[in-house]
């Protein structure tokens, strides 16, 4: 159960309520779920919603922005179990409590604590800013040289929009955004537009700036990484020797494994089954991160081992659907950013339900529904007052607005007025 406490401009508690599901629009309009009456708050400022048991906030294009724990929300942010949210002149304090702990407890006594440990982080290493930490709390943690990025790196090797670390639950992946000096994961380049999953201990380089990826609660021994970089020729030779020894051991193990694998009747069924389980699990992880190419690769290997494997075949179909859905989402979001709301909405409505992209499209689609419906109602109102447009055309616009948002009371009142006028003029029409 999440509890939200609202503090007004005077530092007084204006309201408190608890929720464990749903979506709530915050703004100064009376029709918002959470009304904050102030000129510093946009008409529809933000949206707080529950998804997969976690609480998120989305900026709905507000003029003054949404600030969470001192950082501006660029798109959508996971609020964790406790956050301080600033919306205009108001402060909203969010806390998560188990249901059994909600009774007889002073909510505000624990609202201001947020360790930040539940998110993984990037810790800078090997330069004069070593030790600087960046919590990866956003769903899209953008990295670049300009201040519109979530992580700002003022270094000449960093592009304006260099890369992004994507977060899905407890899974993280890094993607290069076409930077000049590239992104590297454990020394290997990350191709532009592809995603590489991150695991604790990975070293990530953006241009000349290097980080270690670790859980939020971990501390990093910076001297260990400095020693690795500054190791002399002797240590390099020792490392090479160690690699040779390891290589010999691995070779012996591979030969032994191959002997166990291959027999008179081919591979052991248990070994094949174990490998299939591993490949399926890896595919599902790639799917969760939206890494379609990697998912396809692991499925190809799985189906090569077992062409009739039902789960692998189902996952292959799912990958195809998810890939097409992701393309629709990308095109729809692009059109939305260009202000082509109706075209964007039409594309997003084509996204198959149950896909990851359908979930990701929900906030944008909800925003587009409100925008398109509002525009239709506004156009119909203007046309009706001017008297320059056919009443049937006005009626059609109001009906379209209500088909998008049936509970819009202003549209319903307008519809009643239009239909009354149509009846007075003796015009045949189909009532809504």
């Amino acid at each position: 159960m999440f509890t939200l406490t609202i503090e007004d401009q005077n530092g007084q508690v204006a309201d408190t309520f608890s929720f464990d599901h749903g979506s709530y629009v915050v703004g100064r309009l009376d029709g918002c779920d959470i009304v904050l009456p102030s000129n510093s708050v946009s008409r529809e400022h933000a949206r707080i919603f529950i998804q997969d048991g976690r609480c998120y906030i989305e900026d709905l294009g507000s003029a003054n922005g949404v600030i969470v724990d001192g950082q501006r929300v660029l798109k959508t942010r996971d609020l964790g179990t406790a956050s301080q949210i600033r919306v205009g002149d108001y402060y909203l304090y969010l806390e998560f409590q188990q249901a059994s702990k909600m009774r007889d407890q002073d909510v505000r006594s624990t609202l201001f604590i947020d360790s930040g440990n539940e998110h993984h982080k990037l810790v800078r290493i090997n330069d004069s800013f070593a030790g600087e930490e960046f919590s990866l709390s956003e769903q899209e943690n953008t990295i670049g040289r300009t201040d519109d990025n979530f992580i700002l790196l003022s270094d000449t090797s960093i592009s304006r929009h260099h890369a992004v670390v994507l977060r899905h639950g407890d899974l993280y992946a890094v993607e290069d955004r076409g930077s000049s000096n590239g992104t590297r994961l454990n020394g290997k380049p990350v191709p532009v537009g592809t995603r590489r999953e991150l695991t604790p201990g990975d070293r990530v380089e953006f241009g000349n700036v290097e980080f270690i990826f670790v859980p939020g609660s971990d501390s990093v021994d910076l001297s260990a990484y400095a020693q690795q970089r500054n190791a002399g020729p002797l240590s390099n030779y020792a490392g090479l020797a160690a690699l040779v020894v390891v290589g010999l051991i691995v070779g012996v193990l591979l030969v032994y494994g191959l002997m166990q694998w291959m027999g008179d009747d081919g591979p052991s069924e248990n070994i094949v089954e174990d490998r299939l389980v591993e490949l399926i699990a890896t595919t599902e992880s790639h799917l969760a991160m939206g890494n379609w190419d990697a998912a396809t690769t692991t499925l190809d290997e799985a189906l090569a081992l077992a062409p009739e494997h039902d789960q692998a075949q189902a996952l292959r179909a799912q990958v195809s659907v998810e890939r097409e859905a992701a393309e629709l989402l990308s095109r729809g979001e692009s059109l939305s950013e260009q202000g082509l709301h109706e075209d964007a909405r039409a594309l997003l409505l084509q996204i198959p339900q149950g896909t990851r992209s359908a979930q990701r499209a929900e906030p944008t689609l909800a925003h587009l529904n409100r925008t398109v419906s509002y525009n239709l109602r506004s156009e119909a109102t203007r046309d009706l007052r001017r008297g320059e447009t056919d009443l049937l055309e006005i009626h059609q616009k109001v009906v379209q607005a209500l088909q998008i948002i049936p509970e819009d009371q202003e549209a319903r009142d307008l519809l009643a007025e239009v239909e009354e006028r149509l009846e007075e003029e003796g015009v045949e029409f189909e009532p809504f």
Side-chain angles (χ1 to χ4, degrees):
M1 181 73 69
F2 291 92
T3 297
L4 189 69
T5 298
I6 303 169
E7 192 175 272
D8 64 19
Q9 304 97 317
N10 300 316
Q12 301 298 314
V13 175
D15 199 2
T16 299
F17 74 99
S18 300
F19 57 99
D20 59 7
H21 66 280
S23 174
Y24 308 91
V25 175
V26 182
R28 73 170 188 268
L29 285 178
D30 290 339
C32 292
D33 302 297
I34 301 173
V35 180
L36 304 179
S38 170
N39 290 331
S40 66
V41 178
S42 296
R43 293 162 59 86
E44 292 185 344
H45 199 108
R47 185 175 74 102
I48 297 174
F49 62 99
I50 301 292
Q51 180 175 307
D52 298 329
R54 301 187 69 86
C55 189
Y56 298 86
I57 189 165
E58 174 197 11
D59 190 328
L60 296 178
S62 63
N64 295 317
V66 178
I67 309 298
V68 174
D69 297 330
Q71 290 181 309
R72 180 158 184 162
V73 175
L74 298 180
K75 190 174 182 182
T76 303
R77 173 162 176 160
D78 186 340
L79 293 174
T81 57
S83 291
Q84 180 197 70
I85 309 163
R86 183 175 178 182
V87 176
D89 297 331
Y90 290 81
Y91 281 93
L92 287 64
Y93 299 96
L94 181 84
E95 183 193 34
F96 175 77
Q97 288 281 336
Q98 296 292 342
S100 60
K101 297 181 180 179
M102 292 296 296
R103 304 187 190 92
D104 303 323
Q105 182 168 351
D106 180 4
V107 174
R108 298 195 68 229
S109 65
T110 53
L111 283 177
F112 309 98
I113 301 172
D114 184 6
S115 65
N117 289 341
E118 62 184 37
H119 306 298
H120 283 57
K121 62 186 177 183
L122 290 173
V123 180
R124 194 163 176 170
I125 57 177
N126 290 331
D127 62 17
S128 58
F129 294 97
E132 188 175 17
E133 298 184 356
F134 297 96
S135 177
L136 301 170
S137 56
E138 297 267 317
Q139 289 181 308
E140 295 186 4
N141 303 273
T142 54
I143 299 159
R145 201 175 67 247
T146 56
D147 58 8
D148 58 338
N149 289 282
F150 182 68
I151 298 176
L152 173 62
L153 299 177
S154 299
D155 189 278
T156 56
S157 67
I158 302 297
S159 297
R160 292 170 58 84
H161 300 97
H162 196 105
V164 61
V165 175
L166 301 159
R167 177 174 179 265
H168 180 80
D170 295 328
L171 300 176
Y172 294 81
V174 63
E175 176 182 325
D176 188 86
R177 290 287 177 87
S179 63
S180 299
N181 295 305
T183 301
R184 290 171 293 283
L185 176 60
N186 296 322
K188 297 182 178 180
V190 177
V192 176
T194 62
R195 297 174 182 176
R196 294 290 182 265
E197 292 182 33
L198 295 173
T199 56
D202 281 347
R203 297 173 71 154
V204 189
E205 297 172 71
F206 307 105
N208 297 330
V209 185
E210 188 173 5
F211 294 88
I212 186 78
F213 173 74
V214 294
S217 58
D218 283 12
S219 58
V220 175
D221 181 3
L222 301 175
S223 62
Y225 294 97
Q227 291 170 3
Q228 290 178 21
R229 171 169 281 197
N230 297 326
L234 185 59
S235 63
N236 290 337
Y237 285 125
L240 182 60
L243 285 175
V244 171
V245 173
V246 170
L248 290 172
I249 294 173
V250 170
V252 171
L253 291 175
L254 285 173
V255 171
Y256 177 76
L258 185 61
M259 293 173 64
Q260 294 296 315
W261 174 281
M262 297 301 297
D264 294 338
D265 298 323
S268 164
E269 290 185 6
N270 289 336
I271 294 176
V272 171
E273 186 60 34
D274 289 345
R275 181 56 179 161
L276 283 171
V277 169
E278 179 184 350
L279 289 169
I280 294 299
T282 302
T283 298
E284 291 175 341
S285 177
H286 289 316
L287 271 172
M289 295 303 301
N291 197 341
W292 320 124
D293 291 337
T296 300
T297 299
T298 53
L299 282 174
D300 285 344
E301 184 176 347
L303 289 170
L305 290 174
E308 304 301 323
H309 195 278
D310 291 340
Q311 190 175 2
Q313 291 180 342
L315 283 173
R316 167 63 67 81
Q318 184 181 349
V319 169
S320 177
V321 172
E322 291 281 4
R323 188 193 295 272
E324 293 177 3
E327 292 175 357
L328 287 171
L329 175 62
S330 177
R331 288 162 54 199
E333 289 181 335
S334 177
L335 290 173
S336 178
E337 291 171 0
Q338 298 172 43
L340 302 174
H341 304 302
E342 294 185 11
D343 293 340
R345 180 175 178 272
L347 273 180
L348 295 184
L349 287 173
Q350 295 177 35
I351 296 176
Q353 292 301 307
T355 61
R356 290 179 67 255
S357 294
Q359 291 183 342
R360 291 181 61 190
E362 286 179 0
T364 303
L365 187 56
H367 174 68
L368 289 170
N369 283 341
R370 290 193 298 271
T371 301
V372 173
S373 178
Y374 175 82
N375 289 342
L376 286 167
R377 172 162 53 82
S378 297
E379 288 176 14
T381 302
R382 185 181 63 248
D383 293 344
L384 184 64
R385 300 296 175 254
R386 291 178 177 176
E388 300 174 353
T389 306
D390 186 277
L391 280 174
L392 286 175
E393 291 183 20
I394 297 174
H395 184 266
Q396 183 179 7
K397 288 181 181 180
V398 183
V399 168
Q400 289 174 346
L402 283 169
Q403 286 172 337
I404 297 173
I405 303 183
E407 63 275 14
D408 186 341
Q409 189 57 48
E410 291 187 41
R412 288 196 170 276
D413 293 342
L414 180 61
L415 180 69
E417 182 181 351
V418 173
E419 292 190 345
E420 183 179 354
R421 291 271 298 272
L422 286 167
E423 289 175 354
E424 290 175 354
E425 297 185 13
V427 179
E428 293 185 5
F429 67 96
E430 184 177 349
F432 178 69

